[in-house]
Amino acid sequence: MYWNYVPYYSHRASSYRGESATAELANHKQAQAEEKLQPESTQCSQHSHHGFEYVDLQFDSPRLAQYADIALHSSPLSWSLKRKILVLATPFMAALFAAYSAGAYGMAAPALQLQWHISSVVVNVGITLFVLGFAFAPIILALISELYGRYWVFLGAGVVSLLGTLGCAFTDSLAGMLVSRFVTGCGASVFATLTGGVVGDLFRKEDRNTPMALYSLAIIMGTGVGPLVSGVVAEHMTWRWVFYLQAILIGLTTIGLGLTFQETRANVLLERNCRALNDHLARSEHHDPQTQPTASKSTQCQYTRQGTRQVRFRVPALKQSSLAAIVWRSFKFPLRLLFTESIVFWFSAWVSFAWAILYMQFASISLVYRSVYSFDSTQVGGVYTAVVVGSILGAAMSIAQDYACRRYWPAASTRPESRLYLACVATLLLPAGLFMFGFTSRASIHWIVPTTAIGMFIAGIFVIYLAVFNYLVDAYGAYASSALAAQSMCRNLLAGVFPLFTKAMFERLGYQGAGCLLGGVGLVLCLVPWMLCLYGDAIRRRSVLVQKMDVG
């Protein structure tokens, strides 16, 4: 937990500590539980101090009825569906293009190798550095977004991502390319992780699965769209146009964010309401010097009067702490969960392996289809259509499972294990697809067969990713964002390492041997959701952390 910056808001203005993405959706539970840990006085809705009555401002405060003539922000949870869709449209597009950037680089890699006379391992460091930005940047940026709001963080991330992509397009050196890739990854990571927090700002738990599935679809499908488009570009134009096109798309999306995205952080909107009330009441009281409050440096809402007693509205302030201390706790507590909580450890291993396979495909697909089937860049890019199809299939299965569970087994849907029912079966798609890909990647077998295998394991990866996210949020409640941060770091670190040894592994073990090795590991990890479905209640009861949460 991040003890040094605990907000005291109501549940409608609760704070989120982001995944990094990657995981912000635990915000409401985490803030509620943290509120219970505060001294009783901080939870009171009103306090008296120096003759003033301080009232904590909430979206549904009855006192706001007397200020109906003032334009105030409503709770994002109460916005219309049309407005929510409009707000989410550009972040979802930005998330797709963030994943697009990850995959498009692989199609420029052969040209980069020829121009700079480097090996495939060295050129794939560009993928590794990009993913490292995904692993670490959101830990800091999530804190900034929860303190100061989403809007400027998202807009700034778009600019950073654009500058990094332009650096990739114009550089004439390997070093410049690698630095630019890291910068691009840091900017793109906001959309690939913190967009989940925007979903959490706008939707309650029971309504969250479908928008979260669509958000996950944008991320995973983007890893296929990038090579699909860039394969054609790399074949018919120079490698620089792979990045020029990305820069154009990112630039347009950033402009769209500036025009259509709205602030969704509850605490930031409450502060704006507070300032509006402050200005209005200050003007009103200017004509009545007897009620004029003394000057204050506080940015909290104030000014009004009830009888002979003035009332000051406020949004309780965050506890102050240095950024270094906050960042240290952001790293320390997730690592503690990783090594002390068996659920977090095994779920991290499960989803990290799946995510590593997702990024390994950037090297393996090109290697296999160029060497076995003599495909050119356009044809290799076309193979990534299987990634798009597999992502759509995984999203459809996840949405259908949530609907069926809530309609036909409403009692079972209240358990965290209900998030794993589909995953228990669909997780087999990952090892099955890996085995099939390894054993069918030969000239005597039509290329559509291993391509079908790609679609299979991508669908499995999608289901695993969404199941892990939803289960950890439900199981760990107040500590969910830290548990998600632990799996996110593991997931992105492993994904960054796999492309570095993919070629060596496939060449030394052979395609069949590599498929057997990866499929075997995936098959063993298929036991994880089954163990949790069967023994999840007992395992969670033995968790010291869950016991503390239940007591709180």
Side-chain angles (χ1 to χ4, degrees):
M1 298 289 286
Y2 313 109
W3 304 109
N4 282 27
Y5 63 111
V6 178
Y8 311 152
Y9 321 125
S10 70
H11 72 283
R12 293 178 181 268
S14 56
S15 169
Y16 169 76
R17 287 124 189 96
E19 174 189 2
S20 165
T22 173
E24 290 191 50
L25 293 183
N27 60 328
H28 303 294
K29 290 184 177 181
Q30 181 150 339
Q32 285 177 348
E34 287 176 344
E35 286 176 356
K36 296 178 182 179
L37 299 175
Q38 303 304 314
E40 183 178 355
S41 62
T42 66
Q43 299 184 51
C44 297
S45 61
Q46 57 188 47
H47 316 276
S48 294
H49 186 61
H50 296 306
F52 295 98
E53 181 183 6
Y54 291 89
V55 179
D56 293 351
L57 187 64
Q58 301 178 15
F59 286 116
D60 56 355
S61 173
R63 292 177 180 268
L64 294 180
Q66 59 186 302
Y67 308 114
D69 57 328
I70 303 177
L72 299 177
H73 295 281
S74 60
S75 169
L77 293 172
S78 66
W79 292 355
S80 67
L81 181 60
K82 181 179 179 180
R83 184 179 179 184
K84 291 178 181 180
I85 292 174
L86 179 65
V87 169
L88 285 173
T90 46
F92 276 22
M93 288 298 297
L96 186 146
F97 291 138
Y100 177 106
S101 297
Y105 177 83
M107 302 311 297
L112 296 178
Q113 288 181 251
L114 291 175
Q115 178 163 332
W116 293 328
H117 308 291
I118 55 178
S119 68
S120 62
V121 174
V122 175
V123 78
N124 282 337
V125 173
I127 298 176
T128 300
L129 290 175
F130 183 89
V131 179
L132 287 180
F134 273 52
F136 296 115
I139 293 178
I140 298 175
L141 296 176
L143 301 175
I144 295 174
S145 76
E146 72 177 25
L147 291 173
Y148 303 107
R150 313 281 190 203
Y151 182 85
W152 290 110
V153 172
F154 273 56
L155 204 60
V159 173
V160 170
S161 183
L162 175 61
L163 293 176
T165 304
L166 289 174
C168 294
F170 289 106
T171 187
D172 290 318
S173 67
L174 174 63
M177 176 63 72
L178 297 181
V179 171
S180 298
R181 284 292 289 174
F182 180 73
V183 172
T184 304
C186 289
S189 67
V190 168
F191 308 116
T193 56
L194 272 64
T195 300
V198 178
V199 175
D201 292 341
L202 297 174
F203 293 93
R204 293 179 174 84
K205 173 186 172 182
E206 60 271 17
D207 302 319
R208 197 177 292 157
N209 186 77
T210 296
M212 186 58 200
L214 296 176
Y215 163 55
S216 302
L217 174 62
I219 295 176
I220 298 180
M221 185 172 69
T223 63
V225 174
L228 178 62
V229 175
S230 298
V232 178
V233 176
E235 182 72 22
H236 300 285
M237 307 174 78
T238 67
W239 63 264
R240 295 186 187 276
W241 271 100
V242 171
F243 300 103
Y244 290 152
L245 180 58
Q246 291 178 53
I248 293 171
L249 294 174
I250 294 170
L252 291 175
T253 304
T254 302
I255 294 173
L257 280 168
L259 296 176
T260 65
F261 186 61
Q262 301 175 39
E263 183 56 60
T264 62
R265 282 290 301 169
N267 62 299
V268 174
L269 295 177
L270 282 172
E271 288 177 1
R272 292 178 183 177
N273 286 349
C274 204
R275 293 191 187 99
L277 289 168
N278 180 22
D279 293 341
H280 172 79
L281 296 173
R283 289 192 297 269
S284 299
E285 292 169 0
H286 180 70
H287 303 290
D288 186 359
Q290 294 182 351
T291 61
Q292 182 80 9
T294 58
S296 172
K297 295 181 181 180
S298 172
T299 60
Q300 297 169 343
C301 278
Q302 43 191 309
Y303 316 122
T304 189
R305 181 161 88 161
Q306 188 173 18
T308 60
R309 192 176 185 185
Q310 292 177 345
V311 176
R312 296 186 177 185
F313 292 102
R314 69 179 188 179
V315 177
L318 301 181
K319 289 186 176 182
Q320 299 299 315
S321 181
S322 67
L323 181 61
I326 293 173
V327 171
W328 170 242
R329 285 168 175 80
S330 299
F331 279 102
K332 184 175 70 173
F333 194 72
L335 290 176
R336 174 186 165 191
L337 292 186
L338 183 64
F339 294 108
T340 59
E341 291 289 314
S342 59
I343 293 177
V344 176
F345 177 84
W346 286 109
F347 265 52
S348 296
W350 186 34
V351 73
S352 296
F353 176 76
W355 211 247
I357 296 298
L358 181 66
Y359 277 78
M360 186 191 72
Q361 60 162 327
F362 298 144
S364 63
I365 290 178
S366 180
L367 173 66
V368 169
Y369 285 86
R370 289 181 191 275
S371 62
V372 176
Y373 299 105
S374 301
F375 276 17
D376 57 27
S377 294
T378 300
Q379 292 170 316
V380 171
V383 173
Y384 284 88
T385 304
V387 176
V388 176
V389 174
S391 301
I392 295 173
L393 177 61
M397 290 191 297
S398 298
I399 294 172
Q401 184 238 221
D402 181 69
Y403 172 78
C405 194
R406 284 193 295 167
R407 178 168 183 177
Y408 299 109
W409 303 285
S413 64
T414 60
R415 300 174 63 242
E417 285 71 30
S418 66
R419 304 289 194 176
L420 304 178
Y421 296 155
L422 173 63
C424 286
V425 178
T427 187
L428 294 172
L429 292 173
L430 176 57
L434 291 172
F435 281 126
M436 183 176 173
F437 181 76
F439 280 98
T440 60
S441 297
R442 58 183 67 183
S444 60
I445 298 177
H446 195 275
W447 60 266
I448 197 65
V449 180
T451 303
T452 302
I454 294 172
M456 288 174 58
F457 68 68
I458 291 295
I461 290 171
F462 185 100
V463 172
I464 292 169
Y465 173 76
L466 192 58
V468 167
F469 188 93
N470 285 330
Y471 183 89
L472 290 178
V473 169
D474 289 353
Y476 280 90
Y479 304 97
S481 60
S482 293
L484 289 165
Q487 64 83 24
S488 179
M489 279 192 286
C490 292
R491 177 164 53 84
N492 286 295
L493 288 174
L494 195 62
V497 171
F498 258 51
L500 298 179
F501 63 79
T502 298
K503 183 178 180 181
M505 179 178 65
F506 273 76
E507 288 179 345
R508 294 181 182 181
L509 298 180
Y511 300 152
Q512 291 76 28
C516 282
L517 175 62
L518 297 173
V521 175
L523 190 60
V524 171
L525 292 174
C526 285
L527 295 174
V528 173
W530 285 98
M531 294 297 292
L532 266 297
C533 274
L534 295 174
Y535 306 109
D537 289 333
I539 294 173
R540 282 185 283 109
R541 281 197 299 268
R542 289 198 297 267
S543 168
V544 176
L545 207 60
V546 174
Q547 290 175 8
K548 288 182 180 179
M549 184 176 64
D550 291 339
V551 171

